[in-house]
Amino acid sequence: MAVQENMPSKGEASGAVERPPLHVAIVMDGNGRWAKRRGLPRTLGHRAGVEALKRIVEAAPDLGIRWLTVFGFSTENWSRPAAEVAELMALPKRYFETDLARLEREGVRVRVIGSRTGLSRDLVKICSEAEARTAGNDRFHLNVAFNYGGKADILDAARKFAEAVAAGRARPDDLTEALFDSQLATAASPPPDLIVRPSGEQRLSNFMLWQAAYAEFVFQDVLWPDYSAQHLAAAIAEFQTRDRRYGAVVPDDALAAG
Ligand code: IPE
Ligand code: MG
């Protein structure tokens, strides 16, 4: 039976147990609570969160991951107090200042996905520099979702296609899933196999809405600044117990049913 032919090539059910998730996406959450528990200002929680990000980017390739997307700042985070927004805006600089040279050296390709609108010129420059300096890398891909929202991503893609139709460059029937994918901020990445959210919250919060269609979800009771390679390994172990069918049946059952 040709069931398997209809399935995505990555992570098909027959190989899921041995295979690591190629693309892991993480909602880095719990910085504020981590700080509060220590009687510290939230800003220090965000700084500790950057340290956790460094650890996880280091650990991910050894766990078989090739693509890592992290949610750093959402389109909704602008509604936080101005001082906290300012701290969050400073995080990419904090991260790239210390780690960009190493990322570059270790073959990591960095992409900052999300809208540049509303970001300072300085920040835009920092993000562009990180992308440019690592553009030739291919060993590991790091997407930093910053000023990113899943709905905005979908709207932008829809708008681009509508403009193409209005300009006579495309017809409504031309729109396929693949074409739509290619208009999203994540166009260069395969869809996430695994979406992880620490801190005990169990929701997507406008992260990769389209891309998450067949992702597995793992929620963990650890605050992001405490997140370690062991937590990531545990999330992957949980992922490997999942039976991914993409709406089909597993090939063995299909054969048994004749
Ligand atoms: C995640 O930590 C950081 C961002 C959203 C940018 P939070 O700031 O959401 O921490 P909690 O949820 O208040 O603990
Ligand atoms: Mg939060």
Side-chain angles (χ1 to χ4, degrees):
M1 247 308 279
V3 170
Q4 207 156 357
E5 283 170 26
N6 295 329
M7 299 167 94
S9 59
K10 282 176 186 132
E12 62 259 82
S14 61
V17 174
E18 300 84 25
R19 291 187 195 188
L22 288 180
H23 184 173
V24 175
I26 305 181
V27 180
M28 303 185 289
D29 195 16
N31 296 351
R33 279 162 284 170
W34 182 91
K36 193 171 176 200
R37 279 183 199 173
R38 286 166 176 71
L40 300 170
R42 294 176 60 86
T43 50
L44 292 189
H46 295 313
R47 289 179 201 182
V50 172
E51 298 309 311
L53 175 62
K54 292 179 186 175
R55 286 197 295 276
I56 295 314
V57 172
E58 281 266 294
D62 293 339
L63 292 166
I65 298 168
R66 283 209 66 202
W67 296 81
L68 179 69
T69 301
V70 293
F71 205 3
F73 187 89
S74 87
T75 46
E76 287 71 39
N77 287 149
W78 291 107
S79 59
R80 294 191 178 195
E84 182 166 352
V85 169
E87 174 63 27
L88 292 168
M89 288 291 143
L91 296 181
K93 184 172 184 196
R94 192 174 279 282
Y95 177 52
F96 291 132
E97 231 165 34
T98 57
D99 274 41
L100 184 57
R102 189 176 54 76
L103 295 170
E104 190 180 358
R105 202 171 52 240
E106 291 180 359
V108 178
R109 175 151 189 188
V110 176
R111 290 183 182 87
V112 182
I113 62 170
S115 172
R116 300 285 210 261
T117 308
L119 306 188
S120 72
R121 284 161 76 108
D122 238 25
L123 181 52
V124 170
K125 198 168 147 232
I126 286 161
C127 296
S128 304
E129 191 197 338
E131 292 183 330
R133 277 177 55 183
T134 61
N137 285 345
D138 189 33
R139 190 178 76 91
F140 184 81
H141 295 258
L142 173 65
N143 298 327
V144 180
F146 200 86
N147 199 16
Y148 174 87
K151 287 187 174 181
D153 195 8
I154 291 168
L155 276 186
D156 284 346
R159 196 174 294 115
K160 274 185 257 175
F161 185 71
E163 281 165 3
V165 171
R169 284 182 277 113
R171 294 178 319 147
D173 281 354
D174 296 337
L175 189 57
T176 59
E177 288 189 13
L179 179 62
F180 200 74
D181 266 329
S182 74
Q183 302 302 307
L184 293 168
T186 49
S189 319
D193 302 291
L194 169 63
I195 296 181
V196 175
R197 183 164 190 163
S199 93
E201 308 289 357
Q202 302 194 2
R203 58 179 169 268
L204 207 43
S205 298
N206 200 15
F207 187 44
M208 301 187 101
L209 297 182
W210 166 280
Q211 299 86 338
Y214 278 101
E216 297 293 330
F217 290 84
V218 171
F219 300 103
Q220 293 174 295
D221 263 326
V222 50
L223 300 172
W224 176 248
D226 289 328
Y227 206 85
S228 66
Q230 286 70 37
H231 293 108
L232 185 56
I236 291 172
E238 168 64 27
F239 170 86
Q240 288 170 324
T241 69
R242 304 282 175 89
D243 182 14
R244 303 184 80 198
R245 294 187 299 273
Y246 300 96
V249 290
V250 295
D252 285 355
D253 288 355
L255 290 173

